[in-house]
Amino acid sequence: MRLAPVYLMLLGLQALPAQYDPKAPLTADTILMARIRSVVSQMMARMPNFTCVETIERSRREQTSKKFQLLDTVRLEVALVDGKELYAWPGANKFEESDVRLLVGGQGAIGTGDFALHAKSIYFSGNAKFEYKGQETINGRPAHKFYFRVPRIGSYYIMRMGSAEGEVGYHGWVWNDVETLELTRLEMNIDEIPPQVPLKEGHKLLDYAPVKIGAETYTLPVGMDMSLTSMDGTESRNRALFSGCRQYSGESTLIFEDPPPDTAAPKPARTVISLPEGVPVQLKLTASLDLGKSVVGDSVKFEVVKNVERQGTVLLPKGAVVQMRIDMAVCREFPAGHCFLALVPGQVSYENASGAFRAKLQFPALDKQLEMAFVNLRPEMRMPPAEMAMASPGASIILLRGSRAKLSSGFSTTWRTLEGRGDDKP
């Protein structure tokens, strides 16, 4: 169970036609905004379903501190499919329309709406009021700057903090390239907050740039900076980069390159691996892993050390590959320098066979790891770090001494298989 509060900024908008007042004079600013809306609308209309890699650095600062403390770095696949933002871990078989808080968790803030929903709400909901502020230079190019305000009622911007939620209002600025009229920057400040939401203020900045997807180029967000300040003065900060954008097709197919010719031979059907409960499996790490630089969501590869057998039958051959996902990667100096890694078992595969690998770490045992990591502390201080409680269900912990710890290639572990859920499919 995840104990720390998690903030979520979620925008759910059904695009509404912009309001038109026939009595309002057609000023130069009004005409310019109409042209900008037309360009942005055309870009959104022709945008394909696509996916990008989002890397998020999450930090927090207490009211009494001047410095942010890095909590973790998270890497996700985020897709825009039929106007909806979907999320998955890198390498997952499919995206799912579910609460991103449940996917990521941890102590930091997490937000949505960055791909297209914020821009759609501001430009096309009919609720935003614009005021031209002249030109500024953004990333070396002149841009038109407009101030806007979106009132709380009808903003479609939902803020969730723990179990509390409510619609918020905000104001900010948009910058559009003078030559192309494409969006180049969007800045938002949350300033109308319902009383049930314990948020003092919020800020988000999005930078946009041309991104090539397939043979076409689209204007997409490339960077995001978000900060949320709670009523007690604690500030959460996210800094995100978007990269590796590719076209998305179907429920679980990513288009990475040209399709193979029609004459290609069909692939043989894969064999589904199903392991019984209680089988010990010895695994070794295939490549060194720096816990201080590890990223939540990244895949970690292990290899079966020797044949896994039961009653003379080989269940897994030596060399079979087991993929696991980093669920947490934390390095701290208190009460003594230590790092811990939470791993969630994923898939096992060899040759033409694959399946789910459900197991719990048996060696190295956590109590022995605690003893070694905090060997110089009094016994009563050799307690598991509180952050371990925020690891996902099913995760196993590896704890190491030193705040710059590394797992070397060949690091040896033993896992014991768990009972499958009956729906394990590769």
Side-chain angles (χ1 to χ4, degrees):
M1 179 178 182
R2 299 184 185 276
L3 302 179
V6 179
Y7 304 92
L8 172 67
M9 297 208 300
L10 172 64
L11 179 65
L13 172 69
Q14 298 297 323
L16 301 175
Q19 295 175 353
Y20 171 66
D21 183 359
K23 296 181 180 180
L26 292 178
T27 64
D29 296 350
T30 301
I31 295 172
L32 175 59
M33 177 49 64
R35 292 175 58 209
I36 288 173
R37 279 174 164 159
S38 177
V39 169
V40 176
S41 176
Q42 291 177 32
M43 170 62 72
M44 290 184 176
R46 70 184 185 88
M47 193 174 292
N49 293 337
F50 67 95
T51 177
C52 298
V53 176
E54 181 178 10
T55 304
I56 312 167
E57 182 183 275
R58 304 196 295 179
S59 304
R60 186 172 63 193
R61 177 171 62 186
E62 303 297 332
Q63 183 181 18
T64 56
S65 175
K66 294 183 179 180
K67 293 184 178 181
F68 280 92
Q69 180 186 37
L70 178 65
L71 298 176
D72 58 25
T73 302
V74 180
R75 184 168 289 126
L76 293 168
E77 289 271 4
V78 54
L80 186 67
V81 179
D82 298 332
K84 298 179 180 179
E85 287 188 5
L86 307 178
Y87 294 85
W89 293 116
N93 291 330
K94 63 180 180 179
F95 290 85
E96 296 187 10
E97 189 178 355
S98 59
D99 193 334
V100 70
R101 293 182 301 173
L102 301 178
L103 181 67
V104 176
Q107 306 174 84
I110 192 69
T112 63
D114 298 336
F115 263 5
L117 301 183
H118 286 314
K120 185 184 290 186
S121 175
I122 292 166
Y123 282 115
F124 306 116
S125 70
N127 290 332
K129 305 298 182 182
F130 292 91
E131 181 181 345
Y132 188 62
K133 293 296 184 180
Q135 294 186 16
E136 289 185 357
T137 300
I138 301 295
N139 297 324
R141 292 180 61 87
H144 296 295
K145 180 181 181 181
F146 277 87
Y147 172 83
F148 69 86
R149 169 166 287 281
V150 178
R152 183 170 71 87
I153 304 301
S155 73
Y156 300 94
Y157 196 174
I158 306 299
M159 172 66 65
R160 292 177 181 167
M161 298 181 68
S163 59
E165 68 174 67
E167 203 169 30
V168 298
Y170 54 97
H171 72 275
W173 298 265
V174 287
W175 289 262
N176 294 77
D177 189 89
V178 167
E179 181 180 347
T180 67
L181 300 185
E182 294 284 4
L183 181 61
T184 59
R185 178 169 291 176
L186 188 161
E187 185 173 356
M188 308 165 61
N189 291 299
I190 300 171
D191 57 1
E192 288 187 74
I193 303 166
Q196 72 273 18
V197 178
L199 179 72
K200 183 178 180 181
E201 60 185 2
H203 174 266
K204 180 178 280 193
L205 180 69
L206 287 160
D207 277 316
Y208 294 76
V211 176
K212 192 170 183 179
I213 300 178
E216 299 291 330
T217 299
Y218 305 90
T219 298
L220 300 177
V222 293
M224 183 275 294
D225 194 303
M226 178 183 77
S227 64
L228 299 172
T229 304
S230 61
M231 297 303 293
D232 65 1
T234 301
E235 186 176 357
S236 297
R237 184 182 68 188
N238 284 9
R239 289 179 171 172
L241 294 176
F242 300 94
S243 61
C245 297
R246 295 177 171 88
Q247 189 173 350
Y248 176 85
S249 175
E251 181 179 336
S252 59
T253 303
L254 296 179
I255 301 176
F256 292 99
E257 55 187 14
D258 294 334
D262 295 337
T263 56
K267 294 182 179 180
R270 297 188 67 85
T271 300
V272 178
I273 299 172
S274 181
L275 298 173
E277 182 182 5
V279 178
V281 181
Q282 293 185 35
L283 301 176
K284 65 178 180 180
L285 192 64
T286 61
S288 297
L289 187 66
D290 188 337
L291 273 65
K293 298 179 181 178
S294 296
V295 176
V296 175
D298 277 357
S299 178
V300 179
K301 185 184 296 186
F302 287 82
E303 188 176 280
V304 175
V305 175
K306 63 180 182 179
N307 286 352
V308 178
E309 300 182 6
R310 173 169 279 190
Q311 297 179 349
T313 300
V314 176
L315 303 177
L316 286 179
K318 177 182 177 180
V321 173
V322 174
Q323 297 281 357
M324 301 194 188
R325 173 178 56 80
I326 296 178
D327 181 67
M328 296 188 74
V330 177
C331 288
R332 294 286 183 264
E333 296 286 352
F334 181 85
H338 69 278
C339 292
F340 75 85
L341 184 72
L343 292 173
V344 176
Q347 295 284 314
V348 58
S349 61
Y350 63 91
E351 297 179 352
N352 201 44
S354 61
F357 183 75
R358 301 193 183 284
K360 200 70 177 176
L361 182 66
Q362 297 292 299
F363 175 83
L366 184 56
D367 57 344
K368 297 298 183 182
Q369 296 180 62
L370 285 167
E371 184 178 339
M372 291 298 297
F374 302 141
V375 63
N376 294 324
L377 298 178
R378 297 191 302 272
E380 61 270 21
M381 295 186 65
R382 297 176 190 174
M383 300 293 292
E387 293 155 308
M388 285 186 183
M390 286 173 273
S392 293
S396 289
I397 303 293
I398 296 176
L399 179 67
L400 295 175
R401 184 179 181 181
S403 56
R404 298 181 181 273
K406 294 184 179 181
L407 291 178
S408 300
S409 174
F411 179 80
S412 180
T413 62
T414 301
W415 300 72
R416 185 168 295 274
T417 58
L418 303 175
E419 182 180 4
R421 298 181 305 192
D423 58 354
D424 300 338
K425 294 181 180 180

